[in-house]
């Protein structure tokens, strides 16, 4: 159906399937937010933006070095979780607009099996292989 997007290229799935995908996305979003809340505080300046808490192990040089190392690990984890959270939020917006499951590159439907494996997938299998 290339060339007719976005007017007639809606994914063919039942309302029940769509609700199940949305439910999976919301569960994943809550899981990620819980993980983030264990290591960081919400940044009031941005939705989905968190600030990692600096660990406090003590005042010796060894403990300070451990704090820095742990902070760097937590910072990387925070970055990855925030990225995934952003992808999920974007996917939920697409679901509300009725365009969930459409490849952002070729505008074709993303395979149902792929969406079951990765509910926040934004590329069909063919386009994902090219990336």
């Amino acid at each position: 159906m290339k060339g007719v997007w976005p007017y007639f290229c809606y994914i063919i799935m039942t309302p029940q399937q769509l609700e199940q995908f949305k439910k999976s996305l919301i569960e994943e979003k809550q899981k990620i937010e819980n993980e983030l809340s264990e290591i960081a505080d919400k940044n009031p300046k941005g939705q989905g933006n968190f600030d990692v808490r600096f660990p406090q192990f003590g005042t010796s040089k060894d403990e300070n070095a451990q704090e820095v190392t742990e902070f760097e690990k937590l910072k990387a984890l925070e970055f990855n979780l925030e990225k995934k959270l952003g992808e999920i939020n974007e996917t939920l917006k697409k679901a509300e607009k009725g365009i969930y499951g459409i490849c952002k590159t070729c505008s074709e439907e993303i395979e149902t099996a792929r969406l079951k494996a990765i509910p926040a997938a934004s590329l069909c299998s063919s386009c994902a292989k090219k990336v």
Side-chain angles (χ1 to χ4, degrees):
M1 295 189 101
K2 287 189 179 185
V4 293
W5 169 257
Y7 304 107
F8 301 107
C9 191
Y10 293 99
I11 191 161
I12 301 171
M13 70 172 60
T14 67
Q16 293 83 9
Q17 287 175 313
L18 180 59
E19 285 305 313
Q20 185 59 44
F21 284 123
K22 286 167 62 174
K23 180 181 175 191
S24 295
L25 287 163
I26 290 169
E27 288 172 0
E28 183 69 14
K29 177 181 175 175
Q30 290 170 340
K31 179 182 167 193
I32 291 171
E33 287 174 340
N34 288 339
E35 288 181 48
L36 280 165
S37 70
E38 291 177 12
I39 63 167
D41 298 314
K42 282 188 178 182
N43 183 334
K45 296 180 181 177
Q47 182 181 357
N49 193 0
F50 291 77
D51 294 320
V52 172
R53 291 185 288 274
F54 194 84
Q56 300 293 323
F57 298 139
T59 57
S60 73
K61 288 183 180 182
D62 287 343
E63 291 167 327
N64 289 343
Q66 287 177 324
E67 290 170 354
V68 171
T69 301
E70 183 66 17
F71 181 74
E72 289 172 349
K73 289 179 190 177
L74 294 174
K75 205 59 183 150
L77 177 60
E78 173 212 8
F79 175 81
N80 289 328
L81 290 172
E82 282 183 353
K83 182 178 177 190
K84 182 68 175 168
L85 185 61
E87 291 169 355
I88 290 171
N89 285 331
E90 194 61 36
T91 302
L92 287 169
K93 287 178 188 176
K94 288 180 181 181
E96 292 304 315
K97 292 178 183 177
I99 56 173
Y100 173 71
I102 303 299
C103 178
K104 72 178 183 180
T105 301
C106 70
S107 300
E108 293 292 324
E109 292 180 11
I110 299 171
E111 305 88 307
T112 303
R114 181 166 170 77
L115 291 173
K116 284 181 182 177
I118 310 168
S122 62
L123 298 173
C124 67
S125 295
S126 177
C127 290
K129 288 176 186 175
K130 295 175 188 175
V131 179

